[in-house]
Amino acid sequence: MSSSGIRRPAILITGAGGEVGYGLIDRLSRSADHDLIALDIKELPADVRERCTSSIVGDILDANLLQRLVSQYEIHTIYHLAALLSTRAEYTPDTAHRVNVEGTLNLLQLAHEQARWHGNAVKFLFPSSIAVYGLPDAATKLKAGAVRESQWNFPTTMYGCNKLYCEHLGRYYTFHYRQLAAEKTLRGVDFRSLRFPGLISAVTMPTGGTSDYAVEMIHSAARNEPYDCFVPAEAKIPFMVMPDAIRSLIALAEVPVERLTQRVYNVTAFSLTAGELQQRVVQAFPKATIRFRPDVARARIVDSWPADVDDTPARKDWNWQPEYPVDKAFSEYLIPGILRHYNGS
Ligand code: SER
């Protein structure tokens, strides 16, 4: 809220303490025309808290907390990042469903109510994932090539099921919510979603994902620790470095709604096998010890994800283009960023 007591438009970020939240807060806090409200189950580090108008510790399943938020702030945009990732969700599928689906439903409902209050559509940015795809085996995956949004929507993980269903919920809230009600209600949710590939950050580590081997491999090498990779060398999925992920989220949030021909978009930067990743890491850190010790079950999940995704609609509708193709990702972001992170050099 401003010092005059007038409510300013606010951006709410859930899961703000995760690795996407960290980068997003950094970017969004550079603009002063909105309040920035961070919500996370854990307290954020002090340097991140400082960048937000308010930083709230709480659970997206807590209805009272969400009501309090609505009474205090005029929310115009929501980046709903809170989720249990794919590996973690397989250990606690029921909890994952509650957090990933019921949590999203709560936030969509909050967006709808906010829109009714202030009369403007609430933008709802939702990171989805390549985990919504489910290819039956590695041979089919090889043949499939770059997969379009409508293909192979048969997820094999709880997380993938949750993300795919929430994409549908977002579309429902945007176009069909309460379609049989006698009184025509304002459909105030403007849902926009990106299906992210594996994300790699030079600074933060993901928790509980299945594409984490890429991040773990690079960071272990930089720390001079041996790494046992849990997928085989030939396992291949698409990736993107964190600055591109943040840029794509913000670009999708800013594009005029008339330009959107769909509500869920693939985005990608490059595809690599775990073996190719190893070569690049060893080139940068010649003393790195990386062994392939596949975990059959986790490797099977990676086999069910496409080797590449077709992001033509994002390129056409809102000019999506990665700033970091593979060589630049390593030479200008990952390697220097990781060296700075660990050595301060
Ligand atoms: N990176 C995520 C995971 O591995 C997929 O979106 O769970």
Side-chain angles (χ1 to χ4, degrees):
M1 205 174 294
S2 71
S3 50
S4 62
I6 295 168
R7 299 205 299 181
R8 290 194 308 159
I11 299 177
L12 170 66
I13 304 178
T14 72
E19 53 167 6
V20 177
Y22 186 86
L24 195 61
I25 288 172
D26 184 46
R27 276 289 303 276
L28 294 177
S29 61
R30 293 179 206 167
S31 155
D33 62 357
H34 50 249
D35 284 337
L36 198 55
I37 318 301
L39 174 62
D40 200 276
I41 197 88
K42 289 199 201 125
E43 178 145 58
L44 303 183
D47 62 319
V48 184
R49 273 202 319 267
E50 273 165 20
R51 299 197 171 129
C52 304
T53 315
S54 170
S55 159
I56 299 159
V57 179
D59 192 331
I60 52 169
L61 297 175
D62 179 350
N64 290 333
L65 172 77
L66 297 185
Q67 278 310 317
R68 271 208 310 283
L69 264 183
V70 180
S71 68
Q72 269 178 295
Y73 299 102
E74 191 176 292
I75 297 166
H76 285 248
T77 307
I78 299 174
Y79 288 86
H80 175 40
L81 312 178
L84 255 60
L85 295 185
S86 57
T87 292
R88 189 135 166 244
E90 288 312 298
Y91 290 113
T92 53
D94 301 340
T95 307
H97 190 276
R98 267 199 303 283
V99 174
N100 294 350
V101 175
E102 288 174 35
T104 301
L105 195 64
N106 288 348
L107 268 309
L108 284 166
Q109 191 58 38
L110 182 149
H112 171 74
E113 278 173 24
Q114 281 288 286
R116 286 184 58 187
W117 269 102
H118 54 60
N120 300 300
V122 171
K123 284 186 191 163
F124 195 103
L125 278 298
F126 182 70
S128 185
S129 161
I130 48 165
V132 303
Y133 298 109
L135 293 111
D137 49 57
T140 312
K141 168 170 167 159
L142 255 184
K143 265 212 305 248
V147 168
R148 291 197 304 274
E149 284 89 346
S150 57
Q151 297 178 303
W152 299 106
N153 287 184
F154 304 107
T156 66
T157 60
M158 179 52 109
Y159 172 78
C161 293
N162 295 162
K163 286 289 184 188
L164 185 58
Y165 175 59
C166 287
E167 292 176 358
H168 289 305
L169 277 181
R171 227 177 343 239
Y172 168 75
Y173 267 80
T174 302
F175 297 117
H176 310 293
Y177 185 58
R178 295 211 171 131
Q179 56 192 297
L180 297 184
E183 184 195 335
K184 288 288 158 242
T185 42
L186 166 87
R187 293 201 189 109
V189 179
D190 177 359
F191 178 86
R192 305 170 178 209
S193 177
L194 289 175
R195 285 186 185 162
F196 278 136
L199 299 182
I200 315 180
S201 166
V203 186
T204 48
M205 303 286 287
T207 40
T210 313
S211 61
D212 295 7
Y213 61 88
V215 191
E216 290 167 0
M217 192 186 286
I218 304 172
H219 282 253
S220 301
R223 288 196 303 255
N224 226 340
E225 290 169 4
Y227 182 65
D228 285 351
C229 181
F230 60 81
V231 298
E234 58 277 14
K236 184 174 185 180
I237 57 168
F239 290 103
M240 184 186 271
V241 290
M242 197 54 78
D244 269 340
I246 306 299
R247 217 166 49 79
S248 63
L249 258 182
I250 292 177
L252 181 59
E254 287 177 351
V255 65
V257 71
E258 333 56 90
R259 298 223 334 243
L260 303 179
T261 59
Q262 55 196 57
R263 292 296 173 145
V264 177
Y265 289 91
N266 282 339
V267 278
T268 187
F270 51 86
S271 286
L272 284 180
T273 65
E276 288 162 343
L277 200 66
Q278 179 206 30
Q279 282 167 16
R280 285 182 181 268
V281 173
V282 170
Q283 219 172 14
F285 301 99
K287 288 196 208 128
T289 312
I290 297 160
R291 292 173 304 192
F292 290 94
R293 295 279 153 87
D295 171 308
V296 175
R298 284 182 97 186
R300 200 181 304 126
I301 292 178
V302 171
D303 275 348
S304 79
W305 294 348
D308 193 5
V309 291
D310 180 347
D311 60 4
T312 310
R315 288 172 188 259
K316 270 202 188 138
D317 288 1
W318 43 278
N319 302 327
W320 159 247
Q321 200 159 16
E323 204 177 298
Y324 292 96
V326 67
D327 287 334
K328 189 172 169 197
F330 277 81
S331 65
E332 290 185 28
Y333 170 69
L334 283 171
I335 304 305
I338 286 177
L339 286 174
R340 251 194 325 274
H341 181 61
Y342 289 106
N343 311 327
S345 61

